[in-house]
Amino acid sequence: MQELIRRYGISLSVIMAAMTAFWLLALVVIPNLVLFKFSFRLYLPVDQLGGPNDVYTLKNYVTFFNSPIHINVFFLTIVYSSLVTLICLIITYPLAYILAKVLKPTDTATFFLVLLIPLWVSEILRSFAWFIILSMQGPLNAILTGIGLIDKPIRWISGFQSVVIGLVYAYILFMLFPIYNAIQALDTNQIEASQDLGASTWRTHWRVVIPHAKPGIASGCVMVFMLCAGSVVVPTTLASTNSRWFTEIIQQWMFEGLDWNVGSAYAFLLLALCILFVSLVMRVLNVRLVDIAK
Amino acid sequence: MSEDVHLSQICMDFGSFRAVNNVEVTIKPGEFFSFLGPSGCGKTTILRLISGFMEPTQGAVKIGGKDMKGIRPNARPTALIFQNLALFPLMPVWENITFGLEVRGVSKEKRRAKAEELLQLVDLHDSADKRISQLSGGQKQRVAIARALAVEPKVMLLDEPLSALDLKLRQHMRAELRAIQKRTGVTFIYITHDQGEALAMSDRVGVMSQGVLQQVATPQEIYNNPVNGFVASFVGENNVIQGKVASVNGGMAQFETAKGAFHAKLGASVGLGDQAKLFVRPEFCSLQPTNETKANSIAVEVTEIAFEGNFVNVFVRDNSGDTHMVQVQNDPSLPPPAPHTACQMVFNPESCMILSEAATSRHGH
């Protein structure tokens, strides 16, 4: 804080601090607290508000556990978010390694620019672009039939596959950057030392590069998983008839059922269960939170 | 146990820059060989060519008579000790040491035993389970040596591994490295820009400049009979006088300069009438009174005296204003002349050499 004042003067520092505080409090903390309070109260007609029925209760949370369909959707959301995370990791790790250690630094800049440009387009438009690409008469089917790889068009938008494709595309860079940073920080001599001592490429990655990149991998995985589980736009845009995402149920409660109370309860359940799931996975993989924060 | 390394007419280009130019040398089995040169002279490139991280543009690297072309670093019988050691910080000491055995599928019990044995060899006890970050600089050095020895290399490559240590420890590790080399009998190829290190440890030294191997010889030979001006001035101190070869008589020559004529040994690549330089080591010069003018002498005046402990550097200036250095043993009964004393700097014809500049083109050796 003193450093801030020394550098920018008292008035500018106060403005900056006030704006940060406003953003945190007014736009993050208070709305969440309000929703949190909502989640423990009942959805009542206006004339009953403040009456004897307006009590704090866990009923909204119980609704979830009494609904096997919602539990199933939640379960599928977790499973497919994990799948997206895994696919992102598999695609990203070699890419991050090549960008960090194989390419010349001058080329890396160009590659990053190419990777970043799609991020300038909004998520809705990108999802919709995938909707067009994956449609029956879309370019992907046209190319695949054109080069003779398939005989007749594939129905890409069915089950969860289009959602998975869309989510991988939407969040893959959140996996790439932490892993890239972690691998880049690795001393290249360590890789060479491993090779020099007789290790194969595979073993060098397993014993030297991956252990070093583990905090980056964990941080990328947590980020992609949480973004996936909380995503609304991609699962709605690329949804097929039988792919429901948990966020869509929250949306239904809030905007179709107008029951913000159950909607909030579901939102907090999603948050809590995701945190629980991530902590469990981190425990199993022996990664600590401080490693991720680095 | 150990193998010879033959570098056959090696050239290495980076784009249009030739980092190594036609290097030809055979390093004998069990030899401690140093490549000595300033930074950018191509010595590290040579090490990377031997270890397999680079392939030469021309020529061949042969280890034990076998051409190493196309053989990757992990399949070569070499072990490299990196300048920054490149120990694996996430593994304990013993796993570091036996990493090379782990990749060869040796069982954990055997690896553990081997680690203990190697830790004994490098004089590092009770450290097997320590983390790398818990070790001091000298201890890390020993772990790096043990890690390289564990794979039982035929040839050990060392890339200035002592440069990060402080002076005392560096001198200690010199002796240590030398002792380990003698004990194991492995061929050591050592890269350094530190002439003291190269001269003290090596059986033979190869002096490099601008990608060209200037001279390969024993440390004594390098110091006493440098083949050219570069070697003479890179290894040790010199007083240098510009001039021309006036007459030649066997291995000796008459050298004419602005400071007078001198009798000196004639270097390898210098002939009659050539412009060249006269190199005289400061410890081969002496200061004498002016009453009787001697042969091979320059009239000088003492300007400054630097006491170094076991010897004294006396700086003198001649009539044309050039400064020379004379090194005399510290002897309280025979102190050097005081500043502003006029005297003559004298040197023996046998201990000064007429040399040309460094070889920069494709001269074979």
Side-chain angles (χ1 to χ4, degrees):
Chain A
M1 191 68 197
Q2 273 168 354
E3 172 66 19
L4 202 70
I5 293 171
R6 194 187 60 73
R7 200 179 272 194
Y8 297 107
I10 185 84
S11 50
L12 202 57
S13 302
V14 168
I15 291 171
M16 281 197 281
M19 278 163 71
T20 313
F22 175 79
W23 178 73
L24 262 179
L25 279 173
L27 302 179
V28 180
V29 175
I30 293 173
N32 272 289
L33 284 177
V34 170
L35 281 181
F36 194 61
K37 193 181 156 198
F38 270 19
S39 72
F40 291 103
R41 299 173 79 168
L42 294 171
Y43 178 45
L44 295 170
V46 182
D47 58 345
Q48 288 188 28
L49 287 176
N53 290 334
D54 195 0
V55 289
Y56 288 98
T57 167
L58 287 173
K59 218 177 140 213
N60 297 330
Y61 289 90
V62 175
T63 313
F64 171 75
F65 293 103
N66 284 336
S67 161
I69 295 173
H70 291 173
I71 292 175
N72 185 42
V73 171
F74 176 80
F75 180 70
L76 288 175
T77 303
I78 296 285
V79 167
Y80 284 104
S81 294
S82 306
L83 180 68
V84 171
T85 308
L86 188 69
I87 294 172
C88 282
L89 178 62
I90 290 168
I91 298 175
T92 302
Y93 177 80
L95 189 64
Y97 181 79
I98 290 167
L99 284 168
K101 290 293 171 201
V102 180
L103 288 180
K104 278 183 254 155
T106 44
D107 297 338
T108 312
T110 319
F111 273 87
F112 271 126
L113 192 67
V114 171
L115 287 171
L116 275 173
I117 286 171
L119 214 65
W120 298 348
V121 181
S122 93
E123 199 178 309
I124 298 179
L125 285 179
R126 277 183 288 147
S127 308
F128 199 70
W130 272 107
F131 181 75
I132 295 167
I133 293 169
L134 296 175
S135 60
M136 279 298 271
Q137 308 293 325
L140 184 63
N141 276 330
I143 290 169
L144 290 179
T145 45
I147 60 173
L149 217 63
I150 52 174
D151 299 331
K152 54 180 195 283
I154 293 174
R155 185 175 291 283
W156 293 103
I157 301 177
S158 75
F160 278 92
Q161 65 194 24
S162 51
V163 176
V164 168
I165 292 171
L167 285 172
V168 166
Y169 181 74
Y171 300 128
I172 195 159
L173 291 184
F174 292 92
M175 184 72 89
L176 179 70
F177 288 119
I179 299 182
Y180 168 79
N181 282 336
I183 296 180
Q184 218 216 3
L186 175 67
D187 175 14
T188 307
N189 280 353
Q190 300 235 332
I191 300 169
E192 291 189 341
S194 168
Q195 288 171 355
D196 188 65
L197 290 165
S200 60
T201 306
W202 187 86
R203 172 128 9 206
T204 300
H205 280 278
W206 183 246
R207 285 290 273 146
V208 179
V209 187
I210 292 177
H212 180 90
K214 205 160 97 174
I217 291 172
S219 128
C221 286
V222 169
M223 205 131 59
V224 170
F225 177 82
M226 292 302 255
L227 284 169
C228 284
S231 175
V232 183
V233 171
V234 180
T236 33
T237 317
L238 291 170
S240 69
T241 46
N242 50 1
S243 73
R244 280 181 88 198
W245 211 249
F246 195 70
T247 49
E248 293 177 286
I249 294 173
I250 298 173
Q251 202 183 25
Q252 276 168 9
W253 276 116
M254 287 194 158
F255 296 106
E256 287 165 36
L258 291 176
D259 187 342
W260 281 45
N261 306 77
V262 177
S264 316
Y266 273 47
F268 281 104
L269 270 174
L270 178 66
L271 182 66
L273 291 173
C274 282
I275 290 174
L276 190 73
F277 178 75
V278 167
S279 327
L280 271 176
V281 173
M282 275 166 59
R283 174 68 59 88
V284 170
L285 297 177
N286 197 15
V287 184
R288 289 168 308 156
L289 202 63
V290 278
D291 293 333
I292 294 178
K294 268 193 262 184
Chain B
M1 193 74 199
S2 63
E3 298 274 19
D4 69 314
V5 176
H6 179 53
L7 305 181
S8 169
Q9 309 284 323
I10 281 192
C11 292
M12 184 71 202
D13 295 338
F14 297 108
S16 60
F17 174 69
R18 178 152 282 195
V20 173
N21 194 351
N22 208 37
V23 165
E24 168 81 40
V25 63
T26 302
I27 295 145
K28 297 173 205 152
E31 189 175 31
F32 198 123
F33 189 95
S34 294
F35 283 100
L36 172 66
S39 61
C41 73
K43 57 191 192 300
T44 300
T45 306
I46 287 196
L47 208 66
R48 295 180 70 80
L49 290 169
I50 301 172
S51 58
F53 290 110
M54 291 177 185
E55 291 279 356
T57 317
Q58 285 170 41
V61 176
K62 289 174 187 160
I63 300 177
K66 191 164 169 244
D67 193 344
M68 287 289 125
K69 189 173 170 59
I71 298 179
R72 287 167 47 84
N74 57 9
R76 293 195 182 193
T78 58
L80 175 58
I81 297 184
F82 290 80
Q83 190 163 11
N84 67 355
L85 307 180
L87 297 173
F88 305 126
L90 301 174
M91 299 180 200
V93 166
W94 79 271
E95 279 187 31
N96 259 281
I97 291 175
T98 56
F99 182 78
L101 303 175
E102 183 192 319
V103 305
R104 286 163 176 79
V106 176
S107 74
K108 193 176 171 182
E109 292 73 35
K110 278 188 184 160
R111 280 190 279 136
R112 182 75 203 204
K114 184 74 181 173
E116 300 287 355
E117 183 193 322
L118 284 161
L119 282 168
Q120 296 283 334
L121 179 78
V122 295
D123 214 16
L124 200 68
H125 312 275
D126 307 322
S127 300
D129 292 307
K130 284 189 181 161
R131 299 178 66 85
I132 297 300
S133 54
Q134 288 173 293
L135 302 180
S136 69
Q139 289 173 324
K140 284 181 190 162
Q141 199 78 57
R142 288 161 203 265
V143 172
I145 294 164
R147 184 177 72 173
L149 285 172
V151 297
E152 292 175 5
K154 302 277 192 284
V155 180
M156 185 88 111
L157 308 166
L158 304 99
D159 186 5
E160 308 207 26
L162 304 186
S163 57
L165 303 181
D166 59 57
L167 182 69
K168 262 262 150 47
L169 194 54
R170 194 156 65 222
Q171 283 170 343
H172 179 71
M173 286 308 294
R174 271 186 204 175
E176 196 92 333
L177 267 181
R178 182 72 181 153
I180 288 170
Q181 193 262 336
K182 286 291 158 231
R183 229 176 300 159
T184 56
V186 174
T187 311
F188 270 44
I189 301 179
Y190 194 90
I191 296 290
T192 183
H193 65 270
D194 181 331
Q195 42 143 327
E197 231 166 75
L199 297 182
M201 291 196 289
S202 319
D203 294 316
R204 283 192 303 156
V205 178
V207 183
M208 286 194 73
S209 165
Q210 299 180 338
V212 177
L213 198 51
Q214 305 285 342
Q215 185 173 11
V216 178
T218 61
Q220 293 85 343
E221 185 72 8
I222 294 273
Y223 190 83
N224 295 331
N225 287 310
V227 292
N228 58 40
F230 174 80
V231 176
S233 49
F234 191 75
V235 182
E237 301 278 348
N238 294 281
N239 296 309
V240 184
I241 303 162
Q242 188 89 39
K244 190 179 160 192
V245 182
S247 69
V248 178
N249 178 15
M252 305 301 284
Q254 194 71 15
F255 195 61
E256 296 210 328
T257 76
K259 302 178 200 308
F262 300 98
H263 205 50
K265 283 198 289 184
L266 190 63
S269 50
V270 198
L272 184 65
D274 285 356
Q275 290 287 336
K277 283 174 179 167
L278 182 71
F279 288 81
V280 197
R281 303 272 184 211
E283 70 268 28
F284 295 146
C285 297
S286 63
L287 292 171
Q288 300 195 358
T290 44
N291 45 14
E292 166 198 358
T293 306
K294 304 231 171 160
N296 273 11
S297 70
I298 305 172
V300 292
E301 188 192 290
V302 176
T303 55
E304 203 187 327
I305 291 173
F307 180 68
E308 299 276 347
N310 56 338
F311 60 89
V312 183
N313 285 332
V314 183
F315 293 92
V316 297
R317 193 163 51 216
D318 64 23
N319 294 335
S320 44
D322 292 331
T323 297
H324 306 281
M325 189 168 94
V326 178
Q327 203 173 74
V328 293
Q329 286 297 312
N330 175 34
D331 181 355
S333 66
L334 204 74
H340 309 301
T341 312
C343 49
Q344 53 181 334
M345 184 174 95
V346 185
F347 42 88
N348 192 324
E350 297 295 331
S351 53
C352 55
M353 287 196 84
I354 304 162
L355 298 169
S356 62
E357 290 298 317
T360 50
S361 57
R362 300 170 131 249
H363 287 156
H365 288 283

